[in-house]
Amino acid sequence: MKALIQDAAAIAAIRPLNIIGYLRSHGWAKFSEVVGKFSVWENTHFPDAEVVVPLRREASDFVQRLGDVLKELSAAEGRSQLEILKDLVNSGFDVIRLGVRAPNTDSGTVKIDEGVKLFGEAREILLAAACSAVRPRAVFHSRKPQQALDYMGSARLGQTEHGSFVLTVLSPVAPQFNAFSDTDLFPEEPFERQVVKTLALGVQTTVMAAEQSALATEDNFRPFQEAVNLGVSANLCEGIAGLFMFGDQSTISISIAWAQNRPMPEGVPSRAIITSDIVPTISEAARIFRARDALEDYVITGPIVKLERPEGQEQGRVTIYAPIEGVPRKVNVTLLPAEYAQATRAHEQYRSVKLVGTIVREGRSYKVANATSFGLASDDEE
Amino acid sequence: MPPEPYSAISARQEHFSGAYVRAVCAATGCGCAKPEPDDDKIDFTLSSRVSGTIKTKPKIDIQVKCEMSGAATGNAETISYPLDLETYDNLRDPLVVNPRYLVVVLVSNNIDEWIVQTEHSLIYRHCAYWCSLKGLPASENATSQTVYLRRVNIFTPAVLRQMMERASNGEDMP
């Protein structure tokens, strides 16, 4: 049975520009237009059909005409109005479907706590992809690139779907003005599309790296290390591993339905399947990414809690108690003689110090390499 | 109280005026459908395959009213009809895609006289008139606006064909 859509609110959600994007990408061409009111579209594959796209939402027949668009497309393309409605509403979005298949989601529902976590991890995965799209890195810290944060402000959650439990993320894509233009050799892709491509590629590469690492005889972290440029990061790995909370026999699929208003990207997988057996490897990869990570040009401000100068040496080593990525940590730094003297005075006077350097992990603690600009912290920084 | 065996007068008026419009469509060769979803009070959408500069499947939206006043008589050039404001506003909207027309069917006060049937003919009484309200100014009245339909504007197959031709070129009948 092919359902007819009678719900005026559902129909009104369609945007005329999305219809035009859909028509363009499905071989329809503009036949005529009455400027400011409507345009008429035809398709040589469907000589009997004519789609009239209304332009003005304030026209009293707007919803009626959108309903006509559904009817006409449904009749021409032989698909249900429901399918076409979904395509039209989503035609301006790349749709990312994250599906969980597990024994306890078979009813198409999830437990509340698991569901909340699922949505949270989906956000982390998307944000990791957005950060990698700005600049690939092994680890993204709490200060994310502004472009990635702006992107997160524009992405949306769609309705969930059955199968067994599928959440949808809608990533808006600006339409390409000249569809199928051959003249553009290197058409610039909008950032939103780059994010979704990075996501698709990053997830698939993570799965492949996990498989390769199981087979590697030595340095089994290398497949992950080499995949950073393809969008793999500690954050992405953590997000993927975080999705697995539904027991042993669960499978997660991530698939992309590309927006209809731009050509489909080439060489990017549209579907990846993650099974629970590779999750421990992915978690471990995330841990190693973080362990090997360095925070460059990081500003460290805090009180000195330990002063240490071996007998007969000029350089001293101090421990500063400072927030690193929001968590208070003990950070070790080696200082030149003059700086060490300054540090000693600061310690006597209960003053905080400040320096800039690269923070790296050293076993269970942290140390600063290439420390510069050592000095007393001003009062308002303490 | 037992239900009335036959429908109310207003329902009969709606059916009768609808049947009049469908009869004209049938004679013209136009499609005639109830719009779905019924969102803006249009009674029928008429369609054809007249190929013009703008459309190749033009459509016309019709709002039908039925008035029990008897046939128009005398020398007056117009008949008047008090239209509720919501319908008036819908019909004067200049932004709509399909041309919109008001069709008023005048019928006898005596329902027994609505049709005349013989072996030769079925006669619908009395007459349907049409007009376009597109672009008229907003009404200053509170509940209804009287509109005037010219008596020469009888809703006939010939008129419907002209309406379709104009619609195919993106135009309305004045």
Side-chain angles (χ1 to χ4, degrees):
Chain A
M1 198 204 95
K2 293 200 169 137
L4 298 180
I5 311 278
Q6 302 256 17
D7 178 353
I11 293 174
I14 306 172
R15 297 173 189 195
L17 287 181
N18 286 3
I19 300 177
I20 290 170
Y22 175 96
L23 293 173
R24 280 220 165 100
S25 68
H26 283 68
W28 296 76
K30 194 169 77 178
F31 172 70
S32 65
E33 120 174 72
V34 173
V35 177
K37 285 192 191 174
F38 64 89
S39 55
V40 180
W41 297 74
E42 60 178 11
N43 189 327
T44 48
H45 291 108
F46 312 115
D48 273 354
E50 175 176 277
V51 175
V52 179
V53 183
L55 188 64
R56 304 282 288 267
R57 193 166 282 275
E58 63 268 35
S60 49
D61 64 344
F62 183 73
V63 172
Q64 206 78 53
R65 299 290 83 85
L66 291 179
D68 289 349
V69 170
L70 283 180
K71 268 181 227 149
E72 194 75 8
L73 283 175
S74 171
E77 299 182 357
R79 299 196 298 145
S80 80
Q81 292 193 14
L82 200 60
E83 284 174 272
I84 289 168
L85 176 70
K86 212 180 252 182
D87 280 353
L88 288 179
V89 170
N90 291 345
S91 87
F93 296 96
D94 287 332
V95 182
I96 304 157
R97 289 195 167 77
L98 200 155
V100 183
R101 213 165 258 291
N104 69 2
T105 61
D106 276 351
S107 58
T109 61
V110 287
K111 289 181 186 168
I112 289 178
D113 289 344
E114 292 176 346
V116 169
K117 186 151 188 295
L118 193 66
F119 279 89
E121 299 297 352
R123 177 187 185 277
E124 294 307 314
I125 289 172
L126 190 64
L127 180 56
C131 292
S132 286
V134 177
R135 188 158 83 98
R137 299 194 72 142
V139 181
F140 297 103
H141 301 288
S142 53
R143 276 188 60 187
K144 305 286 193 297
Q146 190 58 41
Q147 200 178 4
L149 296 175
D150 291 346
Y151 167 79
M152 293 304 284
S154 69
R156 310 184 70 85
L157 285 169
Q159 300 275 337
T160 59
E161 297 172 3
H162 267 273
S164 18
F165 185 82
V166 182
L167 70 83
T168 56
V169 177
L170 308 178
S171 171
V173 190
Q176 179 161 312
F177 283 113
N178 297 309
F180 311 121
S181 155
D182 297 329
T183 50
D184 258 352
L185 269 183
F186 303 105
E188 181 102 337
E189 280 210 306
F191 180 70
E192 292 83 356
R193 174 52 72 77
Q194 287 175 37
V195 171
V196 180
K197 280 171 71 174
T198 307
L199 174 76
L201 206 55
V203 171
Q204 200 205 29
T205 310
T206 303
V207 172
M208 280 164 49
E211 287 163 0
Q212 283 167 15
S213 118
L215 298 173
T217 46
E218 54 192 53
D219 193 4
N220 55 10
F221 184 66
R222 225 168 97 186
F224 284 95
Q225 190 69 57
E226 289 173 348
V228 169
N229 276 330
L230 298 175
V232 177
S233 64
N235 307 58
L236 183 72
C237 291
E238 286 158 358
I240 292 172
L243 296 172
F244 283 83
M245 56 192 133
F246 301 97
D248 280 346
Q249 290 159 38
S250 56
T251 306
I252 305 271
S253 64
I254 295 180
S255 61
I256 318 286
W258 301 101
Q260 314 256 0
N261 59 4
R262 293 191 83 83
M264 266 175 64
E266 286 172 18
V268 181
S270 292
R271 186 175 170 82
I273 292 181
I274 310 152
T275 49
S276 54
D277 53 332
I278 59 170
V279 171
T281 312
I282 295 175
S283 296
E284 179 62 7
R287 193 190 66 76
I288 297 176
F289 270 134
R290 291 224 180 252
R292 295 189 179 178
D293 180 42
L295 291 167
E296 286 166 16
D297 294 332
Y298 203 86
V299 179
I300 299 131
T301 309
I304 291 168
V305 293
K306 190 173 167 190
L307 291 154
E308 187 181 16
R309 183 165 61 187
E311 193 181 355
Q313 285 198 10
E314 294 195 324
Q315 290 194 339
R317 190 174 145 98
V318 302
T319 303
I320 304 169
Y321 192 61
I324 305 297
E325 292 283 299
V327 182
R329 308 269 190 198
K330 286 180 177 171
V331 185
N332 300 319
V333 56
T334 301
L335 297 177
L336 299 171
E339 292 169 345
Y340 188 77
Q342 204 179 359
T344 313
R345 281 195 300 280
H347 184 67
E348 276 173 5
Q349 295 164 10
Y350 296 93
R351 295 280 306 271
S352 283
V353 294
K354 179 181 171 184
L355 70 147
V356 178
T358 302
I359 297 181
V360 287
R361 266 185 198 253
E362 191 182 44
R364 301 182 64 177
S365 58
Y366 293 80
K367 77 167 184 187
V368 182
N370 314 319
T372 56
S373 325
F374 181 85
L376 289 175
S378 61
D379 286 341
D380 55 347
E381 286 170 326
E382 286 185 33
Chain B
M1 226 170 59
E4 292 288 326
Y6 298 108
S7 51
I9 301 294
S10 61
R12 296 188 210 193
Q13 284 178 284
E14 187 184 328
H15 265 136
F16 187 83
S17 54
Y20 194 120
V21 169
R22 284 184 189 275
V24 173
C25 284
T28 315
C30 287
C32 179
K34 283 263 181 196
E36 289 171 7
D38 180 13
D39 195 49
D40 69 339
K41 310 281 186 289
I42 284 299
D43 291 316
F44 296 104
T45 296
L46 316 187
S47 57
S48 74
R49 290 303 194 86
V50 178
S51 198
T53 54
I54 298 290
K55 293 178 179 171
T56 61
K57 293 170 85 173
K59 294 191 174 76
I60 288 169
D61 286 339
I62 299 277
Q63 169 79 50
V64 191
K65 297 288 183 191
C66 183
E67 174 138 275
M68 291 175 75
S69 61
T73 52
N75 294 326
E77 285 186 5
T78 60
I79 57 165
S80 59
Y81 183 83
L83 201 56
D84 64 279
L85 278 193
E86 190 183 357
T87 307
Y88 178 74
D89 284 338
N90 263 328
L91 290 174
R92 67 184 188 85
D93 183 352
L95 297 175
V96 295
V97 171
N98 297 340
R100 291 188 158 183
Y101 301 102
L102 172 67
V103 170
V104 174
V105 181
L106 300 188
V107 295
S108 168
N109 287 310
N110 180 357
I111 296 175
D112 294 337
E113 294 175 2
W114 282 9
I115 61 173
V116 176
Q117 246 175 328
T118 68
E119 280 189 270
H120 276 138
S121 62
L122 166 64
I123 298 174
Y124 283 52
R125 297 176 70 194
H126 298 287
C127 188
Y129 303 90
W130 66 271
C131 72
S132 168
L133 303 179
K134 185 177 268 189
L136 288 186
S139 173
E140 290 172 358
N141 302 344
T143 55
S144 71
Q145 170 69 43
T146 299
V147 297
Y148 298 92
L149 298 96
R150 298 179 64 208
R151 280 177 62 189
V152 292
N153 283 357
I154 296 178
F155 186 64
T156 63
V159 164
L160 183 50
R161 273 194 287 274
Q162 282 182 42
M163 289 177 170
M164 283 296 176
E165 269 155 35
R166 284 191 175 247
S168 75
N169 293 326
E171 297 163 0
D172 291 68
M173 293 275 274

